[in-house]
């Protein structure tokens, strides 16, 4: 059946080529000449490129269908012109491409993003389409392939792995996989390398610090009173993450003043790097109502008592953080304040944190 398809494809393609009808332009796979022998070779070579890497089982299944089935026409190899006389010059190659290449959009870097919502419904169809798609994308010079597999298509993951796809990242609803086509170092961006945490240094007019005892903590912090801390959420600002965490853990409302310092550590959870921002916050309420799922207790503690705790006195980093916070209270140190900016580079609104030390600045007198 494969050879009959090749022979008939040549008979169908040559008239279209002679008429200048290269349907796909420069990206066409089949460039016919006027010799029947030549365009049979051309069609065979193109099929080989299209189906390179397709497993033998998939090839057998592909060629079980007659060209008429693929085209959805009454095409017949016995017709006088091999089906070309009925005006259907889309040829069976286009039918192959449309039926077996996964739907995808092009990205701005010469790659493709597979449409996750348009994936085949069964494993056999996905395996056939994925192999054919890779062959097609290679032939037209694509680079990176982004394949997002939803949870309800998780059975496709082993198929993609066998084709050479790599894991990129996973979320609750999907797994993202990638494939780098060129025979050169991969230029696709890696998965996110950092997690971001915040801590709120909240101090009232009586020089009392808002502190908590966590229900679940390491032995080094057992019984210690510490600042409210947590991780910021996706698409959340540092300053809003800090005020949210304080509110969730203690019930106290606050407003952001500035970032007084941040720590950068590596090989933390899941071998990710960690950014931790210490934010000075001003309380706008005093009543404490703890989150009992995470917090054992919370209270307003005199600053002097808080600083004298052993875990602060015996740890250089914690001691330095407290020194910075105290200098900030004395207005001898300026933190990084948040400013909304829009860059012409991408047109996006973002927050730029920087030091403002003008004497008239109400938040900082260190000039």
């Amino acid at each position: 059946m494969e050879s009959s398809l090749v022979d008939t494809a040549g008979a169908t393609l040559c008239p279209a080529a002679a008429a200048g009808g290269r349907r796909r332009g420069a990206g066409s796979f089949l460039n016919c000449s006027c010799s029947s022998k030549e365009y049979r070779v051309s069609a065979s070579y193109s099929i080989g490129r299209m189906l390179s890497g397709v497993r033998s089982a998939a090839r057998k299944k592909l060629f079980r269908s007659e060209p008429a089935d693929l085209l959805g026409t009454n095409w017949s190899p016995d017709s006088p012109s091999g089906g070309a006389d009925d005006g259907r010059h889309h040829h069976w190659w286009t039918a192959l491409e449309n039926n077996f290449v996964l739907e995808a959009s092009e990205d701005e870097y010469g790659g493709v993003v597979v449409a996750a919502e348009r994936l085949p419904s069964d494993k056999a169809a996905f395996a056939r389409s994925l192999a054919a798609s890779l062959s097609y994308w290679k032939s037209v010079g694509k680079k990176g392939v982004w394949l997002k597999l939803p949870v309800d298509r998780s059975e496709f993951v082993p198929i993609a792995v066998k084709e050479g796809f790599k894991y990129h990242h996973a979320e609750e609803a999907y797994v993202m996989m990638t494939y780098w086509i060129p025979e050169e170092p991969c230029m696709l961006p890696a998965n996110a390398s950092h997690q971001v945490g915040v801590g709120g240094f909240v101090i009232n007019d009586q020089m009392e610090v808002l502190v908590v005892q966590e229900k679940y903590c390491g032995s080094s912090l057992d019984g210690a009173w510490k600042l409210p801390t947590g991780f910021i959420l996706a698409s959340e600002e540092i300053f809003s993450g800090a005020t949210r965490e304080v509110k969730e853990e203690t019930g106290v409302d606050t407003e952001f003043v500035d970032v007084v310092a941040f720590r950068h550590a590596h090989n933390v959870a899941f071998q990710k790097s960690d950014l931790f921002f210490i934010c000075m916050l001003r309380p706008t309420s005093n009543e404490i109502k703890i989150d009992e799922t995470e917090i054992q207790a919370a209270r307003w503690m005199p600053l002097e008592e808080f600083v004298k705790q052993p875990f602060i006195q015996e740890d250089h980093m914690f001691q330095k953080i407290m020194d910075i916070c105290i200098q900030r209270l004395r207005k001898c140190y300026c933190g990084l304040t948040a400013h909304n900016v829009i860059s012409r580079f991408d047109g996006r609104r973002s927050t730029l944190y920087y030091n403002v030390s003008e004497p008239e600045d109400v938040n900082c007198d260190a000039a």
Side-chain angles (χ1 to χ4, degrees):
M1 183 60 69
E2 181 174 353
S3 60
S4 66
L5 283 173
V6 174
D7 292 341
T8 347
T12 308
L13 286 166
C14 191
R22 287 175 55 186
R23 190 170 182 270
R24 295 187 61 83
S28 177
F29 288 100
L30 303 178
N31 297 321
C32 294
S33 64
C34 293
S35 164
S36 61
K37 179 179 179 182
E38 287 176 348
Y39 51 70
R40 278 199 300 270
V41 171
S42 176
S44 178
Y45 174 67
S46 300
I47 293 170
R49 292 170 63 188
M50 169 66 179
L51 299 176
S52 62
V54 179
R55 291 177 292 281
S56 58
R59 289 173 63 93
K60 290 177 182 177
K61 186 168 184 178
L62 172 63
F63 286 106
R64 284 195 193 109
S65 301
E66 293 292 335
D69 297 329
L70 293 171
L71 287 168
T73 69
N74 293 324
W75 184 95
S76 171
D78 298 325
S79 63
S81 59
D85 57 350
D86 61 2
R88 298 181 179 92
H89 293 296
H90 298 92
H91 19 273
W92 66 273
W93 165 251
T94 302
L96 282 176
E97 179 185 329
N98 291 340
N99 279 281
F100 292 102
V101 175
L102 295 169
E103 290 193 34
S105 58
E106 297 184 355
D107 64 25
E108 57 184 310
Y109 303 104
V112 292
V113 180
V114 178
E117 69 281 2
R118 302 289 292 174
L119 292 170
S121 58
D122 64 87
K123 293 193 292 184
F126 176 72
R128 180 172 63 243
S129 295
L130 186 61
S133 299
L134 288 175
S135 184
Y136 171 68
W137 292 327
K138 288 176 183 177
S139 69
V140 295
K142 293 303 176 186
K143 295 181 178 180
V145 181
W146 295 89
L147 176 64
K148 182 179 180 179
L149 297 178
V151 169
D152 61 359
R153 293 291 188 273
S154 59
E155 69 272 19
F156 292 173
V157 172
I159 298 171
V161 170
K162 287 182 180 179
E163 286 291 351
F165 277 79
K166 308 291 185 184
Y167 295 107
H168 188 268
H169 68 273
E171 296 290 346
E172 289 185 3
Y174 69 87
V175 172
M176 181 67 77
M177 307 185 76
T178 61
Y179 187 102
W180 182 248
I181 295 175
E183 294 182 0
E184 58 188 40
C186 179
M187 299 298 292
L188 294 177
N191 183 26
S193 59
H194 286 66
Q195 61 182 15
V196 181
V198 287
F201 183 78
V202 186
I203 189 164
N204 61 21
D205 293 337
Q206 288 74 46
M207 296 299 286
E208 295 173 325
V209 183
L210 182 61
V211 294
V212 298
Q213 282 183 337
E214 295 182 342
K215 274 190 175 182
Y216 312 102
C217 61
S219 57
S220 61
L221 290 177
D222 188 29
W225 292 93
K226 58 181 286 294
L227 302 180
T229 61
F231 292 105
I232 66 170
L233 306 176
S235 302
E236 185 177 41
E237 294 286 352
I238 294 170
F239 63 84
S240 57
T243 57
R244 175 188 54 77
E245 280 292 342
V246 170
K247 176 67 174 178
E248 289 179 355
E249 292 190 0
T250 69
V252 175
D253 295 305
T254 61
E255 61 182 21
F256 174 80
V257 178
D258 52 24
V259 173
V260 293
F262 66 90
R263 183 204 67 174
H264 194 196
H266 305 286
N267 297 316
V268 189
F270 309 107
Q271 288 71 55
K272 298 292 184 182
S273 295
D274 181 272
L275 283 168
F276 183 76
F277 293 85
I278 298 94
C279 301
M280 178 161 285
L281 306 175
R282 182 181 296 109
T284 57
S285 69
N286 291 306
E287 183 181 358
I288 292 175
K289 185 177 181 180
I290 65 171
D291 175 9
E292 296 183 354
T293 60
E294 293 185 59
I295 304 301
Q296 182 71 35
R299 57 175 286 205
W300 291 100
M301 176 181 283
L303 176 60
E304 185 177 359
E305 181 182 347
F306 175 67
V307 172
K308 286 182 178 179
Q309 292 184 98
F311 88 92
I312 292 179
Q313 291 297 315
E314 297 169 4
D315 187 283
H316 177 73
M317 184 185 71
F318 285 124
Q319 195 173 53
K320 188 62 180 177
I321 290 173
M322 285 303 101
D323 287 345
I324 292 171
C325 289
I326 291 171
Q327 291 302 314
R328 177 66 185 87
L329 290 172
R330 293 173 177 170
K331 298 184 178 181
C332 298
Y333 175 92
C334 287
L336 304 177
T337 53
H339 303 266
N340 276 321
V341 296
I342 299 177
S343 171
R344 292 183 61 184
F345 178 74
D346 56 8
R348 293 177 180 272
R349 181 178 297 277
S350 59
T351 304
L352 185 64
Y353 293 81
Y354 59 88
N355 182 295
V356 177
S357 58
E358 289 82 358
E360 64 271 16
D361 179 21
V362 297
N363 288 326
C364 181
D365 291 338

